[in-house]
Amino acid sequence: MMTSKHLAALLFVAMASAVTSYGEIKLTDVTAGTGITFRHTDGSNGAHYIVEYVSAGLALFDFDNDGDIDIYFLNGAAMKGTDYAVAPRNALYRNDGNWKFTDVTEQAGVGDRHHGLGVTVGDYDNDGDSDLYLNNYGPNVLYRNDGDGTFTDVTASAGVANGNKVGAGTCFLDIEGDGDLDLYVANYIKFDFSKHVARTKRGFPVYGSPLDYRPEHDSLYQNNGDGTFSDISKASGIARHAAYGMGMVCCDIDQDRDTDILVGNDTGANYLFKNNGKGIFQESGLISGFAYDRIGGVQGTMGVDVADFDNDGKLDIHVTSYQNEVATLYRNVGDGFLEDITNPTGIGAGTSQPVTWGNGFVDFDNDGDRDVFIACGHLYDNVELFDDQSEYEARNMLFENLGNGKFAEVTATAGSGLAPKLSSRGAAFGDLDNDGDIDAVILNSRSMPTIIRNDTSSANWLQIRLHGVQSNRDGVGAFVEIMCGKNRQVAEVLSGRGYQGHFGSRLHFGLGEHSQVDQVRIWWLGGRTDVLKNVRPNQVLTVTESIE
């Protein structure tokens, strides 16, 4: 006799089987053949300065508008007492196709030698190419893309150096929907070498805690539309709050058609700054449910990403965290309220042992829902000496979305791309070979990066690039919905996300077996809407904002 319990079990198996029928996720480590020789350094010399371990994020973007995605790596700088024959610098690698990359840093003029922490990408001057902003320990840098393969450092004239602070995540966003991109800069701690706090664990030297230092309030710069920015941190309400900012993302979390700001804070309550539509923000982390985890605990939040994991039309949030804290999934229940559903979804399994950093919602198997990649690695380089449960180098993790409100960890079966054991930081995701599935690039502390090719047996897909006319050129903040029969997916164009990095300007939707997208609807910042019907799959679709 079949009981209701047996029927429920069969239904679960059927649902899981239905959404995984496109083949197991297979990710391949192709680093060795790419021509990428970049090696990250944190500038360390054994003194354990706290700013070392937070380096660094990375960016994936098409800097030369040739249709493929290039890679920009941040690097650290020499700490006090460290000497290099050649000072470390950031590196830009041009994508030449067929998984070959060329270092064009010098000719492009983007080899910044400060201690890199965060980076974002956006067309702040609306001239049709992507500019770079670097959030450093020390002066920040704004590189204007000149459209000919080179960049110009315009930090001083733009007014966005942000002082001599310890940076973190950063995002371009349009705070008031006026058609140009403003700039949010998260800050970590008040630090200089004279304030260094030396700590030990069981007699071994280790990095101190951010709690050893005073927090720094974040910065918000308004775009004046003439190549300059004005610091409106106080006027906007941002400067009323100071915490230990790390990863962040800007998106419309409450679906009121303006851009809100989510900041993951290390050892402190996370921030959700709700926008009133005019660029004035109210910090609502506590009331929204984002400040703490489900038991009211403070986490050492590292990375923040958003996507609609359950295809209910609302953006959900995933954050990474410190050792003995579970990387957390918050479901958006509507009107900007969030619920910690980590345990019932299974996405936290195994994430409390490593320190987790970069993260991303990515549909690796194109089955129409978002999987989750997590970059792992301890910050203590000697942790094995005093903690037999931890390792400095760890495997990254992959959780497959089963499409029924559950995730399953598939790290062990996902291929050689998940095999390396390193101490990872930033993670970024994009279709590097333009074959319709999403690949990955991982920045590893004190090591070479990992370049990962997606070799999953692919289903159908659609990628969308937005071209704003009255709204900002990149379409940052635009909200896109696609419909395939009764199946709905949504995404928002973001500038800055994950652990202090940038990726995903070209929106990607897995379609499974659907041979047509019945409708694409785009809500642009500023209020305009465009609708396209009967869109064929397996293409990169460029949509230009219509003018009424």
Side-chain angles (χ1 to χ4, degrees), residues 254-446:
D254 53 4
Q255 295 186 305
D256 62 353
R257 302 305 177 206
D258 55 35
T259 303
D260 310 300
I261 300 169
L262 298 155
V263 183
N265 290 314
D266 191 1
T267 66
N270 295 326
Y271 287 157
L272 195 170
F273 290 106
K274 287 193 176 181
N275 191 345
N276 73 349
K278 300 178 181 178
I280 304 299
F281 294 87
Q282 178 70 42
E283 205 291 295
S284 306
L286 179 59
I287 194 171
S288 71
F290 183 56
Y292 306 106
D293 64 19
R294 66 182 180 84
I295 59 173
V298 172
Q299 294 194 345
T301 303
M302 306 294 189
V304 184
D305 197 22
V306 297
D308 181 10
F309 90 91
D310 53 1
N311 290 340
D312 67 350
K314 300 182 289 291
L315 297 177
D316 311 296
I317 306 170
H318 184 264
V319 302
T320 54
S321 56
Y322 190 60
Q323 183 183 11
N324 297 322
E325 300 168 356
V326 175
T328 302
L329 176 63
Y330 295 93
R331 184 171 70 91
N332 190 336
V333 298
D335 298 321
F337 292 100
L338 304 161
E339 176 188 14
D340 179 348
I341 58 166
T342 309
N343 281 3
T345 61
I347 199 170
T351 63
S352 65
Q353 183 174 355
V355 180
T356 54
W357 299 85
N359 58 336
F361 281 106
V362 182
D363 186 357
F364 283 107
D365 51 5
N366 282 343
D367 66 351
D369 51 40
R370 310 285 176 145
D371 313 300
V372 174
F373 188 106
I374 301 175
C376 305
H378 214 286
L379 55 93
Y380 296 147
D381 53 3
N382 57 355
V383 65
E384 292 93 342
L385 297 176
F386 52 84
D387 183 352
D388 59 9
Q389 299 299 309
S390 299
E391 296 178 296
Y392 177 63
E393 297 179 331
R395 291 183 70 177
N396 298 327
M397 304 179 75
L398 177 61
F399 289 85
E400 182 180 0
N401 190 332
L402 301 179
N404 56 4
K406 303 286 185 179
F407 288 82
E409 189 194 345
V410 295
T411 306
T413 62
S416 62
L418 275 296
K421 288 185 66 174
L422 296 161
S423 190
S424 299
R425 295 296 185 267
F429 310 91
D431 187 359
L432 294 174
D433 52 1
N434 287 327
D435 67 346
D437 54 34
I438 298 299
D439 312 296
V441 181
I442 314 303
L443 186 145
N444 301 306
S445 182
R446 305 184 187 178

